[in-house]
């Protein structure tokens, strides 16, 4: 299998054949049929040819706008394609994330890839099969229904046969999908729902070209950018003469406060930046916030107050009212591989940008605005990078490379951020503060509930606006950061999962959205869901403890959704909740959510041990249960849930971006430590598969439940209620002494 | 003439003695295995073996390792013929993005060469200096133990 192809490869495969009138008639009939809504991104890119080509030599070229981030999505969509088209998986070659070749599927984020891309690929592959069978029927002179297909070879009952690639029917794909093509019954599928080893892994364990970092075009130069000492710093003076004279330094690019260097060798570029840093004089405005004051800052800001649920129980006569405040700090995406891009300005004025961006189309448009050129003059091509977990430095590195490439027409410029760049300049997951209030009756049952949250933006992705690109702020003619907008229903952003799934007699949820920034922030795995679920599920645990009721039983009182109840019960059974024997210093906790209220259901139970002397928390074991609807790639789903548990444990136990005078202080892995191999507990993941139901996005489902389960387990272990992430030993000790 | 011996082949590195080994391996020798992660010896993504010992190539100067035997990920096996450890990582689907995997495999290779049948605890301890952000640690530990079992 091949993962990306040049444009020539794709065009080469496109043979010519006149469109059959039968097919046109088929399409027309289906278009007349009412209620055929095209699934997922097929609705916005309905042409079959946008997604599929048959290539000479027996390959099926699948074109998708979603990109591989290490989540295994390309393997999953290949499974769907191979099944519906009746070909071996090895015949499926994928082109992904090339703005000139693939359907625009927006951003690869928000756990949307399987619902939007997966369901589109499945349907369009079924449509293509119908088209190919129609052509084969004509060629073989038999009725379409009489044909059978095995690995692209179409057989008539009399033994005559042809193949997809003999038909080469790409013109026939220049039709709108009908939505009417039948999907394979489950037992006729070879790949979907079964374990298929990921297609990219053999490349990655052997050092075979697959990462953007491995792309080395002829004549490539190495660029680096001199990032300012702080967000709002302005360059006052910089004498570049000495650096310019250094052998191997090709160019110094200066545009306002943006300074970059292009060199023949990577280490020379780094040396030049170090020298320039020593020579540069900056005007650095003072900043007052620290990680300890950032939540006070949140509360001091002017907010947009959005009532996202307003169904208070006006008749409630509570016996008691309980409230709690929960906090999360700024968290980093903290990719292991710093952001990378390679750009080249061609003679035709087009800048080609290799990037690991999640949003190639919109990032390309933003770069075009920054460069002051037409959108068509920027061509973005996705290549795999280090895992990103949201909007990290990928797009900014693409912008850096595109800017520098303007100075060396014809010669590609490669950027890879330093560790310092990545830690200090990526847009973080926003700090949040959440206040929950419950009105209780005399038995401790909830009669009314409110949830207020304060947050800055979780969405400053490029979105076709230059002002969202880091470098654009520092140009002589700078682009202003657009005023951020909070994402609304049904997915929400800061307030994602803020509406509790529980059927309380009353519920009121208010978002206090802050459009200014204490630190650069954007989409980080789960957006607000991580903190909102942490707050809701911690508070439920507190209320259960108060009512002296088992926390699972307490939840089930308010949980009407059968799939939600099933997943909670499954996690409890896996963990052995009922028969749990508490050892001294140990405790268990559970957390649950349906991601976004509309995606995967996930419950996480865990056991922890708390050292009362040091305050150190050790996670002993984790059981996670997940319902992602119909499962295409079982191991892929498990891997996402397991990885999400580990990352959320890391956020919740160890991570907080540190600030001080002058800005961000977390500049490397020592000042921003993450969970290590010896700290990762055994994690058991099981799935409830629901064949025939829609794909539910799962990549972000375990973040919130994990944080809450951890806090709840710490409470049972030692009686201390931790409401301020991360639960460092110092905070646990302080809570024990309180 | 100083020479760099990598995966059994000798390369002339005249004039590059002060360059970081990682950049020479990646940019001059066009090897993809070792990755740039931090440049500070904190994450392990750049790990290679020098005379069998795991070394962080991002902070190692070429001059310090000339004439020693350097092994990179490519030196273990190939796409067509992965070695046992690489095979075990495939069998266990032991990654998400795979960026850290070079370092994990190289560190594990050094461990297995020295201790062919490590306990799970010994594997975790050996890999504790290698950072993985996707959360695939348990899968990687299982892969190393599988390779040890099947060796």
């Amino acid at each position: 299998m091949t993962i990306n192809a040049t444009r020539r490869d794709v065009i080469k495969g496109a043979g010519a054949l006149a469109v059959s009138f039968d097919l046109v008639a088929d399409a027309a009939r289906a278009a007349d049929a009412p209620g055929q809504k095209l699934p997922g991104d097929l609705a916005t890119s309905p042409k079959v040819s946008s997604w599929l080509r048959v290539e000479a030599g027996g390959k099926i070229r699948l074109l998708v706008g979603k990109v591989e981030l290490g989540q295994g999505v390309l393997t999953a969509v290949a499974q769907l394609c191979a099944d519906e088209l009746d070909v071996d998986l090895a015949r499926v070659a994928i082109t992904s994330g090339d703005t000139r070749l693939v359907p625009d599927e927006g951003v690869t984020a928000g756990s949307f890839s399987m619902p939007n891309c997966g369901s589109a690929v499945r349907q369009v592959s079924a449509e293509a099969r119908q088209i190919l069978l129609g052509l084969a029927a004509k060629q073989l002179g038999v009725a379409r229904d009489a044909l059978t297909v095995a690995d692209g070879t179409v057989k008539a009952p009399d033994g005559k046969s042809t193949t997809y690639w003999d038909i080469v029917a790409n013109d026939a794909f220049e039709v709108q999908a009908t939505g009417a093509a039948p999907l394979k019954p489950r037992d006729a599928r070879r790949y979907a729902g079964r374990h298929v080893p990921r297609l990219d892994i053999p490349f990655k364990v052997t050092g075979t070209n697959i990462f953007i970092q491995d792309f080395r075009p002829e004549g490539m130069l190495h660029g680096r950018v001199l990032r300012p000492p702080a967000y709002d710093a302005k360059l006052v003076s910089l004498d570049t003469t000495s650096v310019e004279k250094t052998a191997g330094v090709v160019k110094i690019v200066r545009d306002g406060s943006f300074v970059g260097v292009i060199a023949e060798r990577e280490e020379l570029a780094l040396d030049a930046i170090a020298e320039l840093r020593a020579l540069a004089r900056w005007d650095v405005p003072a900043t007052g916030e620290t990680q300890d004051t950032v939540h006070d800052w949140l509360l001091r800001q002017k907010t947009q107050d959005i009532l996202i649920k307003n169904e208070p129980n006006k008749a409630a006569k509570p016996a008691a009212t309980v409230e709690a405040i929960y906090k999360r700090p700024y968290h980093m995406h903290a990719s292991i591989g710093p952001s990378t891009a390679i750009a080249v300005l061609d003679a035709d004025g087009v800048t080609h940008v290799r990037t690991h961006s999640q949003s190639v189309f919109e990032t390309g448009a933003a770069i075009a605005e920054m460069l002051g050129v037409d959108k068509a003059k920027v061509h973005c091509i996705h290549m795999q990078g280090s895992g990103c977990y949201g909007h990290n430095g990928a797009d900014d590195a693409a912008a850096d490379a595109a800017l520098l490439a303007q100075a060396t027409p014809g010669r590609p410029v490669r950027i890879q951020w330093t560790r310092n760049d990545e830690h200090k300049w990526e847009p973080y997951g926003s700090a949040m503060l959440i206040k929950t209030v419950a009105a209780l009756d005399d038995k401790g049952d909830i009669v009314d509930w409110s949830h207020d949250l304060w947050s800055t933006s979780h969405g400053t992705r490029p979105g076709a606006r230059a002002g969202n690109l880091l470098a654009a702020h520092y140009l002589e003619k700078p682009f202003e950061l657009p005023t951020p907008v909070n994402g609304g229903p049904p997915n929400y952003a800061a307030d994602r999962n803020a509406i509790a799934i529980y059927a309380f007699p009353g519920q009121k949820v208010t978002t206090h959205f802050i459009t200014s920034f204490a630190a650069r922030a954007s989409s980080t795995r789960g957006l607000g869901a991580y903190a909102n679920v942490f707050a809701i599920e911690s508070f439920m645990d507190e209320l259960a403890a108060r009512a002296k009721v088992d926390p699972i039983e307490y939840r089930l009182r308010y949980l009407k959704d059968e799939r939600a109840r099933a997943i909670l019960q499954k996690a409890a059974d896996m963990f052995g909740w009922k028969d749990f024997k508490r050892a001294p210093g140990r405790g268990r906790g559970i957390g649950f959510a349906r991601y976004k209220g509309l995606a995967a259901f996930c419950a996480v139970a865990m056991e922890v041990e708390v050292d009362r002397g040091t305050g150190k928390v050790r996670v002993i074991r984790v059981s996670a249960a997940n319902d992602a609807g119909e499962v295409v790639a079982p191991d892929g789903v498990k891997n996402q849930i397991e990885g999400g548990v580990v990352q959320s444990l890391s956020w919740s136990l160890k991570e907080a971006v540190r600030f001080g005078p002058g800005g961000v202080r977390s500049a490397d892995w020592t000042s921003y430590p993450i969970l290590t191999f010896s700290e990762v507990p055994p994690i058991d993941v099981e799935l409830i598969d629901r064949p025939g139901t829609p794909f539910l996005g799962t990549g972000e489902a375990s973040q919130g439940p994990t944080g809450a389960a951890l806090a709840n387990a710490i409470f049972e272990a030692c009686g201390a209620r931790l409401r301020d992430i991360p639960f460092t030993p110092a905070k646990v000790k302080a809570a024990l002494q309180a | 003439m100083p020479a760099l011996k990598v995966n059994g082949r000798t390369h002339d590195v005249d004039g590059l003695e002060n360059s970081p080994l990682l950049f020479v391996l990646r940019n001059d020798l066009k090897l993809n295995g070792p990755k740039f992660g931090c440049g500070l010896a904190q994450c392990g993504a750049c790990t290679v073996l020098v005379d069998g010992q795991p070394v962080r190539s991002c902070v190692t100067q070429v001059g310090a390792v000339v004439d020693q035997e350097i092994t990179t990920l490519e030196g273990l096996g190939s796409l067509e013929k992965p070695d046992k450890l690489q095979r075990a990582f495939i069998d266990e689907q032991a990654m998400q993005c795979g960026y850290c995997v070079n370092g994990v495999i190289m560190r594990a290779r050094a461990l297995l060469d020295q201790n062919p049948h490590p306990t799970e605890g010994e594997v975790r301890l050996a890999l504790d200096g290698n950072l993985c952000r996707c959360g695939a640690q348990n899968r990687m530990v299982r892969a190393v133990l599988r390779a040890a079992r099947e060796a």
Side-chain angles (χ1 to χ4, degrees):
Chain A
M1 96 110 207
T2 42
I3 290 190
N4 255 322
T6 62
R7 183 169 170 75
R8 190 187 302 153
D9 286 342
V10 174
I11 292 167
K12 208 166 54 189
L17 201 104
V19 180
S20 144
F21 286 109
D22 287 357
L23 293 169
V24 175
D26 268 6
R29 269 197 301 279
D32 289 342
Q36 293 289 3
K37 190 181 171 292
L38 295 174
D41 292 331
L42 199 53
T44 45
S45 299
K47 246 191 188 177
V48 176
S49 60
S50 302
W51 299 85
L52 282 168
R53 312 273 169 87
V54 177
E55 298 187 347
K59 283 271 177 200
I60 301 294
R61 172 72 50 187
L62 175 62
L63 308 152
V64 292
K66 297 294 185 190
V67 299
E68 182 63 56
L69 309 172
Q71 81 284 42
V73 68
L74 295 189
T75 304
V77 296
Q79 288 173 250
L80 292 166
C81 175
D83 268 342
E84 295 303 330
L85 264 172
D86 272 322
V87 294
D88 285 350
L89 190 68
R91 292 199 188 272
V92 180
I94 303 176
T95 297
S96 145
D98 182 321
T99 55
R100 285 186 172 177
L101 299 176
V102 305
D104 183 353
E105 294 192 82
V107 184
T108 304
S111 300
F112 278 122
S113 293
M114 287 309 288
N116 290 2
C117 179
S119 53
V121 166
R122 174 177 265 180
Q123 183 65 37
V124 80
S125 302
E127 305 264 336
R129 182 178 183 274
Q130 289 296 100
I131 293 169
L132 290 163
L133 287 189
L135 294 168
K138 259 195 156 28
Q139 191 178 322
L140 300 173
V142 294
R144 187 159 70 177
D145 292 347
L147 298 172
T148 56
V149 192
D151 190 22
T153 297
V154 186
K155 269 202 177 120
D158 62 4
K160 276 194 290 187
S161 71
T162 183
T163 65
Y164 289 168
W165 22 99
D166 288 330
I167 303 169
V168 197
N170 288 306
D171 280 4
F173 285 176
E174 295 294 330
V175 293
Q176 306 278 309
T178 63
L183 300 178
K184 278 274 169 63
R186 189 168 190 237
D187 55 9
R189 292 177 193 149
R190 290 171 65 195
Y191 301 110
R194 296 199 163 81
H195 176 59
V196 171
R198 255 172 53 194
L199 302 168
D200 53 332
I201 287 183
F203 291 68
K204 291 174 176 176
V205 297
T206 53
T208 311
N209 285 6
I210 191 165
F211 286 107
I212 187 169
Q213 285 82 7
D214 309 334
F215 183 68
R216 303 178 187 88
E218 191 63 33
M220 185 175 81
L221 298 165
H222 293 272
R224 287 293 186 279
V225 171
L226 175 63
R227 299 255 97 99
Y231 288 122
D232 297 322
K234 287 212 159 28
L235 186 61
V236 177
S237 70
L238 174 61
D239 181 357
T240 58
T241 341
S242 61
V243 181
E244 257 160 325
K245 282 186 196 143
T246 311
V249 170
V250 176
K251 209 127 205 175
I252 294 187
V253 176
R254 182 169 169 189
D255 184 342
S257 292
F258 176 87
V259 180
V261 62
I262 304 169
E264 294 284 353
R265 294 189 60 84
E266 193 164 7
E267 57 270 39
L268 268 178
L270 282 166
D271 289 348
I273 286 291
E275 211 173 315
L276 290 169
R277 177 164 288 122
L279 293 164
R281 294 289 166 265
W282 300 85
D283 179 15
V284 187
T287 50
E289 302 312 321
T290 71
Q291 63 280 4
D292 299 321
T293 63
V294 79
H295 294 100
D296 299 331
W297 179 91
L298 287 176
L299 294 176
R300 282 202 311 273
Q301 303 310 300
K302 212 175 122 226
T303 57
Q304 293 173 2
D305 298 330
I306 315 158
L307 207 52
I308 62 167
K309 190 171 178 78
N310 189 18
E311 293 167 14
N313 178 6
K314 290 194 180 119
K317 293 192 179 58
T321 302
V322 187
E323 64 173 69
I325 287 176
Y326 302 92
K327 299 172 187 173
R328 69 163 282 191
Y330 283 95
H331 280 141
M332 287 183 195
H333 302 84
S335 294
I336 299 298
S339 296
T340 301
I342 298 118
V344 61
L345 172 62
D346 263 1
D348 58 1
V350 175
T351 304
H352 304 269
V353 186
R354 253 85 181 181
T355 169
H356 51 104
S357 163
Q358 291 175 285
S359 57
V360 280
F361 287 91
E362 293 185 347
T363 298
I367 290 172
E369 188 191 2
M370 178 183 74
L371 298 177
V373 299
D374 186 82
K375 215 163 71 170
K377 294 288 185 190
V378 177
H379 171 209
C380 284
I381 304 145
H382 182 267
M383 293 185 77
Q384 295 191 42
S386 186
C388 61
Y389 329 106
H391 174 204
N392 69 348
D395 308 280
D396 298 317
D400 288 346
L403 269 175
L404 295 188
Q406 305 308 305
T408 56
R411 290 198 73 178
V413 178
R414 177 187 193 268
I415 285 278
Q416 183 159 24
W417 280 13
T418 63
R419 177 47 48 197
N420 189 290
D421 290 344
E422 191 76 24
H423 265 62
K424 291 178 80 168
W425 290 93
E426 64 143 285
Y428 307 132
S430 178
M432 288 173 69
L433 184 143
I434 293 153
K435 182 182 169 185
T436 50
V437 182
L440 306 171
D441 66 14
D442 54 0
K443 294 192 295 295
D445 275 321
I446 297 162
V447 294
D448 201 10
W449 171 282
S450 79
H451 179 125
D452 282 71
L453 66 106
W454 284 260
S455 179
T456 68
S457 177
H458 293 257
T460 62
R461 286 186 185 278
R465 304 278 300 272
N468 286 319
L469 299 171
L470 182 61
H473 300 186
Y474 301 96
L475 301 177
E476 183 66 43
K477 286 188 192 139
F479 291 84
E480 293 293 319
L481 183 74
T483 303
V485 180
N486 189 35
N491 294 294
Y492 299 98
D495 34 17
R496 183 166 289 179
N497 276 89
I499 299 172
I501 191 171
Y502 301 106
F504 302 133
Q507 189 177 165
K508 186 179 161 187
V509 182
T510 314
T511 308
H512 305 277
F513 184 69
I514 298 156
T515 56
S516 49
F517 290 94
R520 187 169 187 239
S522 193
S523 308
T524 305
R525 202 173 186 180
L527 313 191
Y530 164 67
N532 288 316
V533 170
F534 160 63
I536 292 167
E537 290 295 297
S538 293
F539 200 44
M540 287 299 279
D541 201 72
E542 296 196 43
L543 298 176
R546 203 188 142 93
K548 300 194 169 54
V549 177
D550 175 84
I552 293 178
E553 191 194 320
Y554 194 77
R555 282 174 175 79
L556 289 173
R557 288 180 183 177
Y558 307 97
L559 203 49
K560 304 300 175 204
D561 187 306
E562 282 307 321
R563 288 170 74 171
R565 295 174 69 93
I567 213 70
L568 194 58
Q569 198 54 57
K570 183 159 181 83
D573 293 345
M574 288 166 65
F575 180 84
W577 189 269
K578 248 195 190 134
D579 307 318
F580 182 71
K581 301 264 183 302
R582 201 162 81 79
R586 290 196 179 182
R588 78 208 146 138
I590 195 158
F592 156 78
R594 179 177 195 191
Y595 183 56
K596 300 197 279 191
L598 48 78
F601 300 82
C602 181
V604 176
M606 72 177 73
E607 181 178 4
V608 305
E609 185 172 67
V610 178
D611 183 323
R612 298 183 80 96
T614 61
K616 202 166 161 41
V617 177
R618 187 164 74 94
V619 183
I620 305 294
R621 64 193 173 99
V622 179
S623 303
N626 192 69
D627 170 358
E630 178 177 340
V631 175
V632 175
D635 190 62
V637 173
K638 285 185 177 180
N639 202 352
Q640 283 299 303
I641 293 298
E642 177 181 331
V645 167
V646 174
Q647 195 172 73
S648 182
L649 284 176
S650 186
W651 289 355
S652 308
L653 283 168
K654 302 180 85 164
E655 299 180 31
V657 175
R658 310 227 153 260
F659 302 94
V664 177
R665 291 290 181 83
S666 302
D668 59 21
W669 297 115
T670 309
S671 46
Y672 191 85
I674 62 172
L675 216 63
T676 66
F677 270 83
S678 60
E679 295 170 316
V680 173
I683 301 165
D684 186 21
V685 182
E686 288 185 24
L687 310 178
I688 296 181
D689 188 8
R690 307 240 182 224
T693 66
F695 306 141
L696 301 179
T698 213
E700 299 157 302
S702 58
Q703 309 298 113
T706 299
L710 176 65
N712 298 340
I714 293 171
F715 176 74
E716 192 180 89
C718 70
R721 174 56 64 179
L722 276 295
R723 300 190 188 92
D724 183 6
I725 292 167
F727 314 141
T728 56
K731 282 197 209 162
V732 174
K733 264 178 90 168
L736 278 167
Q737 283 155 10
Chain B
M1 189 79 89
L4 207 54
K5 292 189 203 161
V6 183
N7 301 330
R9 291 177 60 184
T10 302
H11 303 267
D12 173 21
V13 286
D14 201 18
L16 295 174
E17 292 87 339
N18 295 325
S19 290
L21 176 61
L22 174 65
F23 290 157
V24 172
L25 293 174
R26 287 197 60 87
N27 300 337
D28 298 286
L29 275 53
K30 314 251 187 283
L31 292 166
N32 300 322
K35 299 286 190 294
F36 178 83
C38 62
L40 305 162
Q42 291 179 350
C43 76
C46 65
T47 304
V48 300
L49 302 184
V50 177
D51 287 342
Q53 294 303 308
V55 162
R56 305 268 159 124
S57 66
C58 71
V59 293
T60 304
Q61 286 193 338
V62 167
V65 292
V66 287
D67 298 324
Q68 289 175 273
E69 296 291 340
I70 297 165
T71 309
T72 73
L73 189 63
E74 290 88 343
L76 302 189
S78 63
L79 191 60
E80 296 71 30
K81 216 176 161 221
D83 86 339
K84 280 223 165 61
L85 190 52
Q86 291 166 320
R87 185 74 247 165
F89 272 68
I90 297 170
D91 291 341
E92 293 291 342
Q93 297 283 288
M95 70 185 66
Q96 278 185 27
C97 78
Y99 197 86
C100 71
V101 155
N102 166 74
V104 175
I105 291 182
M106 296 316 287
R107 181 65 192 86
R109 180 75 270 158
L111 170 72
L112 294 180
D113 288 346
Q114 185 201 12
N115 176 4
H117 298 286
T119 63
E120 182 182 332
E122 286 169 336
V123 174
R124 284 188 190 273
L125 201 65
L127 295 177
D128 218 31
N130 289 77
L131 297 179
C132 164
R133 184 55 162 171
C134 296
Q137 287 91 343
N138 288 347
R139 287 167 178 257
M140 296 189 199
V141 170
R142 279 202 299 273
V144 176
L145 292 172
R146 176 195 277 256
R149 227 174 25 242
E150 292 176 355

